[in-house]
């Protein structure tokens, strides 16, 4: 596979001390192929409103351009009420329109869900996959990545200190690199 595939990293939490963000940064630090990751922020997007399509706000235009410029998608998300947090769903909706011009389609994707609890945000992980089916994003199926017990994984500086989780993430990224190679963006 090409080593310079650019991967958009989308984080489903705006919280300063977000475990999802810490996990996303740990994934980026672990690196492995594909090496180029870009966190595409979603917190400044307006709530999606189809009325703005004739003249979309600058944050919407920039977001769509940044996703369009990437060749793969990595979602790192917590779970809100057994689903994807609204802020991430909003970003997905923003990128999906105008109809027929979705920036998501045909980019290989993967999701890591994380929770302080033991269910590891399984509901968010699978609701996200449901949207990606419709958006024609081939999502990596294995290994699935459900990270639970988040409070025990990071030190007080937010660095991932759990060796088995890091080893799992390394294998996850290697599998994602192979997935990207088999499902190149088009
Ligand atoms: C509105 C709301 C709903 C939540 N619902 C769930 C849930 O369904 N499942 C779960 O595991 N945690 C739930 N939580 C707890 C989150 O997992 C926890 O706040 C987590 O730290 C959020 O992710 P972050 O650290 O990346 O911000 C919820 C939190 C909030 C604020």
């Amino acid at each position: 596979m090409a080593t310079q595939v650019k991967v958009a990293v989308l984080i489903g939490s705006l919280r300063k001390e977000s475990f999802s963000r810490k996990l996303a940064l740990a994934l980026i630090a672990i690196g492995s192929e594909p090496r180029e990751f870009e966190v595409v922020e979603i917190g400044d997007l307006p709530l999606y409103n189809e009325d703005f399509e004739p003249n979309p706000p600058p944050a919407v235009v920039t977001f769509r351009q940044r996703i369009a410029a990437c060749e793969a998608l990595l979602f790192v998300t917590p779970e809100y009420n057994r689903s994807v947090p609204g802020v991430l769903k909003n970003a997905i909706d923003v990128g999906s329109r105008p109809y027929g011009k979705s920036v998501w389609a045909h980019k290989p994707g993967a999701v890591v869900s994380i929770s302080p609890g033991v269910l590891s945000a399984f509901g968010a992980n699978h609701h996200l996959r449901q949207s990606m089916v419709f958006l024609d994003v081939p999502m990596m199926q294995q290994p699935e990545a459900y990270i639970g017990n988040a409070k025990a994984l990071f030190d007080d500086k937010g660095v991932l200190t759990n060796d088995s989780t890091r080893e799992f993430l390394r294998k996850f990224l290697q599998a994602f690199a192979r997935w990207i190679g088999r499902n190149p963006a088009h």
Side-chain angles (χ1 to χ4, degrees):
M1 64 165 282
T3 52
Q4 281 310 308
V5 168
K6 197 198 270 188
V7 181
V9 180
L10 292 120
I11 302 169
S13 170
L14 306 183
R15 206 167 67 85
K16 204 159 21 119
E17 291 298 323
S18 160
F19 293 121
S20 309
R21 183 169 295 270
K22 289 171 185 169
L23 186 65
L25 296 180
L27 280 156
I28 291 169
I30 290 166
S32 167
E33 292 184 74
R35 293 194 182 279
E36 200 180 348
F37 294 90
E38 180 177 327
V39 175
V40 180
E41 299 293 349
I42 61 177
D44 60 349
L45 289 172
L47 289 177
Y48 184 73
N49 181 343
E50 206 166 357
D51 290 346
F52 64 47
E53 285 305 352
N55 187 21
V60 168
V61 174
T62 303
F63 178 77
R64 288 171 175 166
Q65 285 170 344
R66 289 184 71 190
I67 298 295
C70 292
E71 290 98 25
L73 309 166
L74 176 60
F75 295 90
V76 184
T77 187
E79 176 176 274
Y80 277 8
N81 300 310
R82 296 285 181 263
S83 188
V84 177
V87 68
L88 180 55
K89 182 58 165 56
N90 183 57
I92 291 168
D93 295 341
V94 167
S96 72
R97 296 282 155 150
Y99 187 77
K101 297 204 170 153
S102 166
V103 292
W104 306 114
H106 313 136
K107 295 184 195 295
V111 55
V112 183
S113 59
I114 178 165
S115 168
V118 292
L119 297 183
S120 314
F122 175 90
N125 190 305
H126 282 263
H127 276 184
L128 182 78
R129 288 175 184 275
Q130 180 175 319
S131 293
M132 291 301 129
V133 169
F134 178 67
L135 294 171
D136 218 354
V137 172
M139 291 293 279
M140 183 168 75
Q141 295 178 29
Q142 294 291 339
E144 296 162 278
Y146 310 108
I147 310 295
N149 201 16
K151 284 180 188 156
L153 303 180
F154 303 93
D155 67 14
D156 55 6
K157 292 192 176 67
V159 176
L160 179 68
T161 52
N162 185 291
D163 289 341
S164 64
T165 302
R166 186 179 303 100
E167 191 47 32
F168 169 75
L169 296 177
R170 192 185 313 283
K171 288 185 176 145
F172 175 87
L173 285 172
Q174 286 168 351
F176 188 33
R178 290 193 294 274
W179 181 252
I180 292 168
R182 288 202 302 272
N183 299 276
H186 60 276

